[in-house]
């Protein structure tokens, strides 16, 4: 089983749609959770951290379910500029080494 | 103004050659990383250094040797390049090495093609 699993997609949605991505992780000792965004042929950039109580940043909402080891990202009112690959990222769960485990990513294409 | 920079951006070389990739960050961060992103887009940690000290050393062939002359620089030297080394290599940095607190900033990547 992969340490972080995501549906690679692609998800093709029209502008204005709401889209949700899910991710599961295998290490119950993981404490830190993130969504990174990677545009085509570019470097990954932090989109948002994911907190236990869930958190929102504008049109983006992240949720964490520790019991099910499941993380989600909801994007409301999709824009063309949201087209990218969304990487679910989890810390390794070991002592503080900064080791992050990246999922394969879910590709989103927003169409006009 | 570039936060994390890498050179070269593209590297095309033949099997058996030795090559280096350089990385520099001007963010004042303590920790730097090397990642490999393969053709299936999986991004995997290779090494990390904290204040010039090796912290993470994943199961990477000995042909890969990182070097950190100071905390702003982390270079990657690869000996005897193989076809399977073709990938995009990303350098990254974070303020400290605790994953739970600190965002990792990535460089633009070096696209290595071994022929």
């Amino acid at each position: 089983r992969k340490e972080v699993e995501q549906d690679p997609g692609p998800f093709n949605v029209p502008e204005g749609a709401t889209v949700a991505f899910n991710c599961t992780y295998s290490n119950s000792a993981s404490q830190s959770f993130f969504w990174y965004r990677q545009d085509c042929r570019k470097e990954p950039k932090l989109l948002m951290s994911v907190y236990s109580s869930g958190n929102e940043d504008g049109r983006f909402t992240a949720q964490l379910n520790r019991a099910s080891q499941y993380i989600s990202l909801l994007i409301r009112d999709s824009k063309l500029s949201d087209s990218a690959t969304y990487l679910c990222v989890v810390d390794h769960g070991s002592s503080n080494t900064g080791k992050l485990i990246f999922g394969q990513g879910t590709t989103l294409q927003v169409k006009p | 103004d570039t936060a994390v920079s890498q050179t070269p951006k593209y590297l095309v070389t033949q099997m058996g050659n030795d090559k280096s990739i350089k990385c520099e960050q001007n963010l004042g961060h303590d920790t730097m990383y090397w990642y490999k992103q393969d053709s299936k887009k999986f991004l995997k940690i290779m090494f990390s250094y904290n204040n010039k000290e090796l912290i993470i050393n994943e199961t990477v062939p000995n042909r890969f040797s990182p070097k950190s002359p100071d905390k702003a620089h982390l270079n990657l030297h690869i000996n005897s390049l193989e076809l399977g080394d073709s990938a995009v290599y990303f350098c990254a940095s974070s303020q400290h090495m605790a994953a739970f607190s600190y965002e990792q900033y990535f460089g633009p990547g070096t696209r290595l093609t071994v022929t």
Side-chain angles (χ1 to χ4, degrees):
Chain A
R1 181 184 173 188
K2 293 186 189 129
E3 293 179 272
V4 178
E5 290 208 62
Q6 296 180 252
D7 178 350
F11 284 56
N12 294 303
V13 303
E15 268 188 292
T18 295
V19 61
F21 306 138
N22 303 319
C23 162
T24 57
Y25 61 96
S26 62
N27 190 344
S28 59
S30 294
Q31 296 294 322
S32 303
F33 310 91
F34 310 91
W35 284 100
Y36 274 69
R37 171 189 168 137
Q38 186 172 22
D39 292 331
C40 188
R41 300 179 79 85
K42 297 285 191 183
E43 70 273 22
K45 291 183 180 175
L46 180 67
L47 177 67
M48 59 197 299
S49 300
V50 185
Y51 302 121
S52 296
S53 53
N55 48 298
E56 194 173 298
D57 182 0
R59 297 181 293 108
F60 298 83
T61 301
Q63 297 277 356
L64 169 65
N65 183 324
R66 284 187 188 269
S68 304
Q69 294 178 206
Y70 171 98
I71 306 161
S72 66
L73 177 69
L74 182 79
I75 306 175
R76 288 182 300 278
D77 188 22
S78 299
K79 313 288 184 197
L80 294 176
S81 56
D82 293 335
S83 298
T85 296
Y86 292 84
L87 304 169
C88 177
V89 185
V90 174
D91 80 277
H92 185 251
S94 58
S95 58
N96 299 332
T97 60
K99 182 175 175 181
L100 297 179
I101 310 297
F102 285 74
Q104 186 180 7
T106 298
T107 299
L108 172 65
Q109 276 287 342
V110 182
K111 308 281 190 188
Chain B
D1 288 319
T2 304
V4 183
S5 59
Q6 292 179 231
T7 52
K9 195 168 167 114
Y10 298 96
L11 188 50
V12 181
T13 188
Q14 292 184 324
M15 281 175 58
N17 284 349
D18 302 339
K19 290 292 177 188
S20 292
I21 307 172
K22 295 188 175 184
C23 178
E24 177 181 0
Q25 53 95 3
N26 63 6
L27 296 165
H29 287 171
D30 287 343
T31 310
M32 295 184 73
Y33 311 82
W34 276 111
Y35 286 87
K36 178 180 179 180
Q37 188 168 42
D38 61 25
S39 56
K40 293 194 168 127
K41 307 297 183 190
F42 280 104
L43 195 63
K44 289 187 181 166
I45 183 80
M46 298 173 71
F47 303 101
S48 77
Y49 273 73
N50 186 66
N51 278 323
K52 302 194 296 173
E53 181 187 349
L54 179 65
I55 302 297
I56 296 173
N57 185 351
E58 289 295 286
T59 311
V60 175
N62 289 341
R63 300 181 294 103
F64 290 79
S65 52
K67 280 194 171 54
S68 181
D70 56 61
K71 75 174 193 178
H73 295 84
L74 180 61
N75 304 322
L76 183 66
H77 188 76
I78 316 170
N79 288 328
S80 304
L81 278 153
E82 299 178 358
L83 292 176
D85 298 333
S86 295
V88 181
Y89 292 83
F90 286 101
C91 177
S93 72
S94 62
Q95 189 174 355
H96 298 301
M97 68 180 179
F100 56 82
S101 299
Y102 301 108
E103 175 181 355
Q104 291 188 15
Y105 293 79
F106 284 78
T110 295
R111 190 169 295 271
L112 171 65
T113 304
V114 183
T115 61

